Amino acid sequence: MTVETTPAVRLTILIGEDDQWQHRPLYDEIVRRAHAAGLAGASVFRGVEGYGANNNIHTTRILSLSEDLPIAIMIVDREPLVREFVVGLREMRIEGSITLEPVEVVMLTPPDAG
C-alpha cells in the first residue's frame, strides 16, 4: 500500500449548539455553505462539556446546564479554498472561535493487484 500526502488546512469553528442564523442552527448553515462552496467535506461534533467567552460551563452531566453544548465544525481542504470560505463567513458574525491549522491529508492507495 502506498501513502500519498497532500498539504491542506483544517478550519475549526467552535460555537454553541444554540447559536442561530436566520432561525436555523448556525452549524447547519455553515455546513450547507461549505457544501455549496465545493469544499471537500465538513463534520460537526457535539461536545460533552465546555465554556467560552461568557465563562459559563455547559455540560451534559448536570441536567439544568445541558443546553447550548459546545459544537465543533471541522473542514479540511486546500488553503486558498478554505481561506476564501472563511471570508464568506464574516456576514454571520460568529461569536465563537475560528482556527486554521496546516495539516497533511493522507491518501492510502492499495498496491497493484499485478
Side-chain angles (χ1 to χ4, degrees), residues 66-112:
S66 64
E67 299 168 1
D68 199 25
L69 291 169
I71 295 288
I73 305 149
M74 291 188 185
I75 299 168
V76 177
D77 209 320
R78 292 178 292 133
E79 186 170 359
L81 297 174
V82 172
R83 287 192 180 275
E84 183 179 330
F85 180 72
V86 169
V87 170
L89 295 178
R90 291 177 72 180
E91 73 172 292
M92 300 174 86
R93 301 176 192 256
I94 295 170
E95 294 183 13
S97 298
I98 297 175
T99 62
L100 288 172
E101 303 151 278
V103 296
E104 284 185 69
V105 175
V106 177
M107 293 171 276
L108 301 174
T109 25
D112 292 334

Side-chain angles (χ1 to χ4, degrees), residues 35-55:
H35 184 260
L39 296 176
S43 297
V44 177
F45 301 92
R46 184 177 191 227
V48 295
E49 187 167 89
Y51 69 94
N54 66 13
N55 218 20

Side-chain angles (χ1 to χ4, degrees), residues 13 15-21 24-31 73 92 94-95:
I13 304 169
I15 59 173
E17 184 176 32
D18 291 345
D19 292 354
Q20 299 279 308
W21 172 255
R24 289 188 21 228
L26 178 59
Y27 61 86
D28 182 58
E29 180 64 20
I30 292 170
V31 169
I73 305 149
M92 300 174 86
I94 295 170
E95 294 183 13

